[in-house]
Amino acid sequence: MKRLVIAEKPSVGRDIARVLGCAKQSKSYIEGQDYIVTWGLGHLVTLADPEAYDKKLQTWRMEDLPMMPEHLKLVVIPQTRGQFQTVKGLIGRNDISEIIIATDAGREGELVARWILAKAGNKKPLKRLWISSVTDKAIREGFAHLKNAKEYDNLYRAAVARAEADWLVGINATRALTCKYNAQLSCGRVQTPTLAMIAAREEEIRHFVPKFYYGLQAKWKGVLFTWQEKGSGSSSVFFRESRDSAYERAKGSVGQVISLKKTRKSSRLEGLYDLTTLQRDANQRYGFSAKQTLNLMQSLYEHHKILTYPRTDSRYLTADVAETLRERVAAVAVGSYRAYANMILKGKIKSNGSFVNDKKVSDHHAIIPTEQPVILAQLSVEEKKIYDLVVRRFLAMLYPPYEYEQTAVTVQCGGETFVVRGNVPIHQGYREVLTEDDGEKEINLPTWNQGEKLEAPALTKTEGKTKPPSRFTEGTLLQAMENPVRYMQSDDKKAAKTLQDTGGLGTVATRADIIDKLFRSYLIEKNENEIRITGKAKQLLSLVPEDLKQPELTTQWEMKLSNISAGKLRQDVFMKEIRQYAVALTEEIKGGEGTFHHDNLTNKLCPVCGKRMLSVNGKQGKMLVCQDRECGYKERVSRQTNARCPVCHKKMELVGSKDNQKFVCVCGHKESMKAFEERRKKEGAGVSKKDVANYMKKMNKEEYKPVNNALAAA
């Protein structure tokens, strides 16, 4: 008898098959003496669309809402029907005695496998492979310690509850909004509060009133000291008169050193990477979108097998993983990392509570290198950048702390206090490994003596004005989604704590998709790296029921889903609440009194239906989209590129088509494709026609995906 292994993707399935000694290849599975390994293509089975329950639901009508099927049906996804039939056939084979679930170790991975098994009518016993990397060693150890699949039944129940709840609330609310206002309007428990956070930041910026502040500096021995106000100890004040009075008192007066403190200090790096902090740093340093970083991580995990599972919310390791640190350090001892790795390998590798804590790891530990040696030449430029961030942080955590001497000098002059602080490095420690500037100020101060008299200083008046909050980037938005407490409507401290404990809006696995969906729905747009809300989104937020905009809703859901996973709450109890909520929400939208109008209509008519088209800013550039959601026609107007303007060095847009393409910059600079290629060739960084053609092909794939489809958005 044989055992059937079901992986999530072909690449992982092939790796497992190789380790298990399966050699008989076919298109959809690999067979060996003891095992057969097959795979999904992501999800093979999903929840049925409304029309599967009744053909009339294919047409969106308000009178059919809310849709409340007694039992939600599973259907095979048409595009992957062939693979499902193969897996179903293998499950039914008489020589298969047991099935091993080897999908991703998490809530969604559990759902992928269990839905396939449910739809296929499986009755055979189940085991679970639970690993956080797909190296040969991890696979071998995982198969040596297979889990009983019953241990993950509650995780599956939570996954089903999440999927069914999103269906009932998302599809009903989206259809109700779309029918009520005759426009493609979608909402959801995560995307809507995320949108509301961006809108709240826009309001903060719009209503911000700058205030002028005033300060004072004094110079002794070539070093600038900063004035501190007597009452507050602040280095700046909002009243010019206070600063000017201090200036008059200090002008012409002698100074005296009244305090001289030297303190030896040390600091350690704060935590390894989880997915959110990695996405934030990649966005900040390289301009990568959250989705792009996740895709690169998935490749490094799945294809190259040199980093561990990416969809993690932990920055810590478990004690058993810490025992493998030496092998992992040895695996990265190549290229620019060799010297750092060898230094660590010379001594005893010490793990401590700053990055090893079993209690702070749920499903998966922090992102670190695997034990598999890396071949850097096989990585793309973008993959190298992500790998570099992870490896440097990993090695830095194993380096000694940064040690420095902090000197603080306080001078009194004319009754006013002036201070300066400077740090003198003693041992660079982990900072040797990191390439980014951590903002630590280092000043080599001259010699000072307690009580020392100083000449009258050179004084400089300073002033500035307060700045509004910064607009969100993808990196800072991810942070806000992770900890959205400040955007809560209530002052409920218990709810705030729950929001933090449950990880905020969405999960590390879904946040990138949520942001991407907001771009695709034309609810947010980009200006350089900044995210701005569109007019469509502002109107949507005015029409959506109030509690759907609040982070508290998804907090309550995630808390209850966690309780289902832990066996503390029954799935049917949760779903009864969800059904009641979905009905109430739909009725509230039906009774709404708002209106919606397109504020981005153009005079260009749709070539398919003849209606006026909408001008939208997609994630990759400007587009024209038909206003009729049933039509769905769209065309590209311009694309964002990485080509830099020779005048102001900002990124330019590519407009036009075929022989009439040209680059346009916001500063007014324009140049034809031919002129651009000639200029770049002269600069020694030519862009070939093949490069341009490949770029256009990639963009065209996005262009012909359906976008003006509210059900797809739901």
Side-chain angles (χ1 to χ4, degrees):
M1 299 293 281
K2 298 183 179 183
R3 303 161 94 186
L4 176 65
V5 180
I6 303 176
E8 191 158 330
K9 295 178 182 175
S11 57
V12 177
R14 291 188 187 102
D15 291 329
I16 291 172
R18 178 174 46 76
V19 173
L20 296 177
C22 302
K24 187 180 175 184
Q25 298 268 354
S26 79
K27 184 181 176 183
S28 303
Y29 65 93
I30 305 171
E31 188 164 353
Q33 187 174 344
D34 300 313
Y35 295 92
I36 300 173
V37 182
T38 188
W39 45 79
L41 301 165
H43 280 278
L44 298 181
V45 175
T46 190
L47 292 173
D49 290 335
E51 49 266 34
Y53 301 92
D54 192 329
K55 288 292 181 187
K56 73 176 185 180
L57 296 177
Q58 198 158 358
T59 303
W60 292 33
R61 298 183 306 180
M62 191 68 91
E63 53 265 36
D64 295 327
L65 301 176
M67 298 174 290
M68 288 286 146
E70 188 177 347
H71 299 290
L72 294 185
K73 297 178 183 177
L74 291 177
V75 294
V76 177
I77 297 171
Q79 296 92 321
T80 54
R81 184 176 298 278
Q83 183 64 20
F84 172 78
Q85 292 300 337
T86 297
V87 179
K88 182 180 178 181
L90 291 170
I91 291 170
R93 270 177 48 168
N94 292 329
D95 61 341
I96 296 294
S97 62
E98 185 177 62
I99 294 166
I100 299 168
I101 297 172
T103 46
D104 284 353
R107 192 167 73 189
E108 285 307 301
E110 199 68 27
L111 194 66
V112 168
R114 298 290 190 113
W115 270 358
I116 293 171
L117 293 166
K119 189 66 179 169
N122 174 62
K123 302 291 182 189
K124 294 178 179 177
L126 301 175
K127 284 285 198 302
R128 186 56 158 109
L129 175 72
W130 194 269
I131 55 178
S132 60
S133 63
V134 287
T135 62
D136 290 8
K137 180 183 176 186
I139 292 168
R140 277 193 294 271
E141 289 182 353
F143 271 88
H145 302 91
L146 288 171
K147 312 278 188 181
N148 188 326
K150 288 187 181 297
E151 294 177 31
Y152 300 93
D153 283 353
N154 285 329
L155 183 66
Y156 170 52
R157 292 185 184 105
V160 172
R162 195 278 309 155
E164 292 187 350
D166 279 336
W167 192 100
L168 291 167
V169 173
I171 287 186
N172 276 302
T174 293
R175 283 202 175 197
L177 281 166
T178 300
C179 294
K180 175 83 175 175
Y181 302 106
N182 193 28
Q184 182 215 337
L185 300 173
S186 66
C187 60
R189 66 178 175 99
V190 178
Q191 75 169 59
T192 308
T194 300
L195 196 61
M197 288 198 308
I198 303 169
R201 178 62 62 89
E202 289 282 349
E203 284 299 295
E204 284 182 61
I205 295 168
R206 195 161 68 86
H207 291 105
F208 180 80
V209 179
K211 292 176 70 176
F212 281 91
Y213 57 86
Y214 307 92
L216 186 61
Q217 290 181 329
K219 187 180 279 189
W220 286 287
K221 297 186 183 180
V223 176
L224 278 177
F225 283 68
T226 302
W227 168 64
Q228 283 188 339
E229 191 199 24
K230 285 179 184 175
S232 65
S234 174
S235 60
S236 59
V237 292
F238 290 115
F239 300 101
R240 189 201 299 263
E241 296 77 12
S242 299
R243 190 275 314 272
D244 289 350
S245 297
Y247 176 86
E248 291 301 325
R249 285 191 287 272
K251 186 173 68 173
S253 300
V254 295
Q256 183 177 14
V257 177
I258 61 167
S259 173
L260 177 63
K261 288 183 181 177
K262 290 189 177 183
T263 312
R264 186 157 177 158
K265 294 189 173 185
S266 66
S267 69
R268 284 192 174 275
L269 193 61
E270 287 187 21
L272 294 158
Y273 274 126
D274 62 6
L275 181 59
T276 301
T277 51
L278 180 60
Q279 287 171 319
R280 180 201 65 200
D281 284 3
N283 178 258
Q284 189 176 10
R285 295 194 69 186
Y286 305 120
F288 290 172
S289 70
K291 185 74 172 173
Q292 184 181 6
T293 299
L294 179 55
N295 288 342
L296 290 167
M297 269 298 306
Q298 199 68 27
S299 174
L300 292 165
Y301 160 71
E302 212 171 82
H303 177 63
H304 298 290
K305 305 176 195 56
I306 52 177
L307 293 182
T308 57
Y309 187 71
R311 292 175 170 86
T312 175
D313 58 359
S314 177
R315 303 185 68 182
Y316 291 83
L317 304 177
T318 53
D320 60 327
V321 174
E323 292 173 5
T324 67
L325 290 175
R326 182 167 289 276
E327 292 170 80
R328 296 172 192 269
V329 173
V332 302
V334 297
S336 58
Y337 315 120
R338 181 178 281 114
Y340 307 125
N342 287 342
M343 200 285 254
I344 293 168
L345 292 169
K346 281 178 186 174
K348 184 180 178 182
I349 297 178
K350 297 178 183 177
S351 58
N352 58 65
S354 65
F355 67 97
V356 178
N357 188 331
D358 287 21
K359 292 179 181 178
K360 293 189 177 182
V361 179
S362 51
D363 288 343
H364 298 285
H365 58 69
I367 300 168
I368 58 173
T370 64
E371 304 97 327
Q372 181 151 314
V374 59
I375 303 172
L376 294 173
Q378 293 180 351
L379 306 184
S380 69
V381 173
E382 289 80 10
E383 287 170 341
K384 280 180 184 173
K385 288 177 178 177
I386 296 297
Y387 184 72
D388 184 73
L389 285 175
V390 174
V391 171
R392 286 185 183 277
R393 181 163 283 263
F394 169 69
L395 294 174
M397 285 300 298
L398 302 177
Y399 251 61
Y402 165 57
E403 296 181 17
Y404 59 98
E405 184 179 72
Q406 186 180 81
T407 302
V409 183
T410 305
V411 172
Q412 201 146 59
C413 180
E416 298 297 327
T417 302
F418 296 84
V419 297
V420 69
R421 290 183 180 85
N423 295 335
V424 178
I426 298 169
H427 296 299
Q428 285 291 341
Y430 73 82
R431 289 173 50 155
E432 285 181 33
V433 186
L434 300 180
T435 54
E436 71 266 23
D437 177 17
D438 61 9
E440 191 75 49
K441 189 178 179 184
E442 294 181 4
I443 302 176
N444 282 305
L445 298 175
T447 304
W448 308 88
N449 297 304
Q450 184 86 23
E452 180 180 352
K453 301 281 187 182
L454 304 170
E455 75 282 359
L459 294 172
T460 305
K461 293 179 180 179
T462 61
E463 63 182 63
K465 62 180 179 180
T466 55
K467 294 180 179 179
S470 300
R471 282 190 167 83
F472 283 119
T473 63
E474 284 201 47
T476 57
L477 181 56
L478 283 166
Q479 280 182 287
M481 291 174 76
E482 188 175 48
N483 188 18
V485 170
R486 66 169 290 208
Y487 297 95
M488 286 176 60
Q489 299 293 316
S490 67
D491 295 323
D492 187 339
K493 290 182 180 177
K494 187 178 178 182
K497 186 177 187 306
T498 301
L499 191 58
Q500 286 181 308
D501 292 346
T502 54
L505 291 172
T507 66
V508 288
T510 60
R511 287 182 193 127
D513 285 328
I514 293 296
I515 294 173
D516 213 45
K517 184 174 172 182
L518 291 174
F519 277 115
R520 285 187 279 109
S521 302
Y522 310 117
L523 296 170
I524 58 175
E525 58 191 27
K526 263 191 181 180
N527 183 2
E528 292 289 322
N529 203 31
E530 291 182 340
I531 292 173
R532 294 172 186 256
I533 198 164
T534 64
K536 177 184 176 181
K538 290 176 186 174
Q539 292 186 77
L540 173 62
L541 288 171
S542 71
L543 302 173
V544 167
E546 195 61 35
D547 66 331
L548 253 188
K549 295 184 277 188
Q550 298 173 9
E552 290 93 323
L553 176 65
T554 193
T555 304
Q556 293 159 11
W557 280 31
E558 285 299 334
M559 183 174 68
K560 289 174 181 177
L561 292 170
S562 295
N563 285 338
I564 294 171
S565 295
K568 297 176 183 176
L569 177 67
R570 280 171 44 194
Q571 179 186 348
D572 60 336
V573 173
F574 173 72
M575 290 310 302
K576 185 178 179 182
E577 290 178 15
I578 290 297
R579 285 173 178 274
Q580 292 169 349
Y581 176 71
V583 170
L585 191 68
T586 307
E587 294 305 321
E588 185 177 346
I589 293 171
K590 280 183 177 183
E593 297 179 354
T595 57
F596 182 89
H597 68 277
H598 294 293
D599 60 357
N600 54 344
L601 276 172
T602 68
N603 289 323
K604 182 159 183 178
L605 301 180
C606 172
V608 177
C609 69
K611 293 179 181 175
R612 287 167 68 189
M613 297 182 72
L614 307 173
S615 174
V616 297
N617 288 317
K619 195 173 182 182
Q620 304 293 343
K622 293 184 176 65
M623 301 181 74
L624 291 174
V625 179
C626 182
Q627 64 172 291
D628 189 336
R629 62 185 175 86
E630 297 293 336
C631 174
Y633 175 80
K634 64 174 180 172
E635 63 183 61
R636 178 75 60 184
V637 175
S638 69
R639 295 180 175 85
Q640 287 286 351
T641 74
N642 287 322
R644 296 282 178 175
C645 172
V647 179
C648 69
H649 304 295
K650 290 183 178 177
K651 290 181 180 180
M652 298 190 292
E653 285 188 333
L654 186 63
V655 302
S657 59
K658 296 184 180 177
D659 297 333
N660 296 320
Q661 289 180 324
K662 61 183 176 182
F663 287 93
V664 178
C665 181
V666 289
C667 75
H669 172 77
K670 297 177 183 178
E671 61 183 323
S672 67
M673 177 64 78
K674 184 179 179 182
F676 170 76
E677 288 174 351
E678 287 175 357
R679 174 171 66 82
R680 296 292 281 161
K681 193 173 180 180
K682 287 177 185 175
E683 291 171 355
V687 176
S688 69
K689 288 183 179 178
K690 185 179 178 183
D691 292 333
V692 174
N694 287 337
Y695 177 78
M696 303 296 270
K697 188 176 178 183
K698 181 182 173 185
M699 291 299 100
N700 283 335
K701 278 184 184 177
E702 178 202 336
E703 189 164 341
Y704 290 102
K705 287 179 184 173
V707 294
N708 209 18
N709 179 317
L711 183 57

